[in-house]
Amino acid sequence: LEAIRKALVEDLGFAPPGKVRVEVVNSANELAKVSTLTKEQIKTTGTIAICKFNKLMVTSPSSLVATTDFAPKNLREVVAAAKAAPDKVTYASVGSGSSNHLGALLFEQVAGIKMTHVPYKGGGPMVQALLGQQVNVAFISTPLILPHLKSGKVKPIAVGGKQRMAVLPDVATLSETYPGFEQVSWFGLLVPAGTPKEISAKIHGAMAKTLAVPEVRQRLIDGGFEMVGSSPEEFLRFVRAESDKLGKLIRDNGIKVE
């Protein structure tokens, strides 16, 4: 990300006013935690705190992975195991309301199963719990878990994107079994709310140019990301949809975001 930001500033020829913030978030709900605006204001103004949406750059589908000692080898078998013994299958997360937690809840909802949530304090402890076979499964951002998938220390069950990933072509998507299922993390470019339109447009164009560089694209794809490169309007629509979907899930399950 820092390399992308440097390339962006070099292409612009100047550092934009204020700070160009590149935020890693999973939904408008997480953005709202650091904002003085209401969710409705996010929807109607396209502004978040002192920033406004500029570009959705890439998404990172979550991967449903399992420990090597967990008997199920595919999605059908995981669902069967969870149905045969409700609450016996355990899943890890980095806390209530995290993307790992919400991904598992969405999975439970569409599959009609119930698993046991085991939260950890941070991504490192969560991954170590998987590697140490202390839990059965987890929804994890693909770039984070990809090295361990490649080394065989954990096994892939399914991915949460709309289509199969170039780095995991043999791993099915959850949407192949449960149409419409999607669970992704994303990187979006935000600029200060007071940034003039012409400067915002120049920043947007510079980022588009940066993301079009073959070496940059390939490095991101190899790392488990999927290219998007949206317009500000498309970015806002994406955040609205994520906010509606995950907001309802949070309310329906009485989740207090940590």
Side-chain angles (χ1 to χ4, degrees), residues 68-217:
T68 54
D69 69 335
F70 188 49
K73 300 181 296 295
N74 53 47
L75 189 61
R76 179 182 59 79
E77 292 180 3
V78 170
V79 172
K83 286 186 174 180
D87 295 317
K88 294 297 183 182
V89 175
T90 57
Y91 69 91
S93 86
V94 296
S96 178
S98 64
S99 60
N100 325 104
H101 185 204
L102 298 182
L105 288 177
L106 283 172
F107 177 41
E108 287 183 327
Q109 188 178 79
V110 298
I113 59 175
K114 183 63 177 175
M115 302 182 292
T116 294
H117 180 205
V118 183
Y120 292 87
K121 294 182 178 180
M126 175 184 63
V127 171
Q128 289 305 310
L130 275 169
L131 298 180
Q133 302 179 344
Q134 298 170 25
V135 289
N136 299 135
V137 301
F139 272 88
I140 300 184
S141 174
T142 300
L144 177 62
I145 201 64
L146 188 58
H148 300 301
L149 286 169
K150 288 182 174 180
S151 69
K153 292 180 180 178
V154 293
K155 58 187 178 186
I157 299 298
V159 294
K162 291 181 179 179
Q163 56 190 17
R164 296 193 181 197
M165 301 184 68
V167 290
L168 297 170
D170 297 325
V171 182
T173 66
L174 276 102
S175 63
E176 290 175 39
T177 301
Y178 305 106
F181 186 99
E182 185 177 18
Q183 174 66 11
V184 299
S185 297
W186 43 274
F187 285 76
L189 180 63
L190 307 177
V191 298
T195 303
K197 288 185 178 179
E198 62 271 19
I199 298 298
S200 184
K202 189 170 184 178
I203 292 171
H204 184 275
M207 179 54 74
K209 184 176 178 180
T210 299
L211 292 176
V213 175
E215 293 83 0
V216 173
R217 292 180 62 87

Side-chain angles (χ1 to χ4, degrees), residues 1 4 23 25 55-61 184-189 211 216-217 220-221 224-230 235 238:
L1 270 183
I4 290 176
E23 301 284 356
V25 287
K55 192 179 194 68
L56 175 60
M57 301 185 299
V58 294
T59 60
S60 168
V184 299
S185 297
W186 43 274
F187 285 76
L189 180 63
L211 292 176
V216 173
R217 292 180 62 87
L220 288 168
I221 291 170
F225 295 98
E226 294 187 337
M227 308 304 298
V228 180
S230 74
F235 187 11
F238 175 83

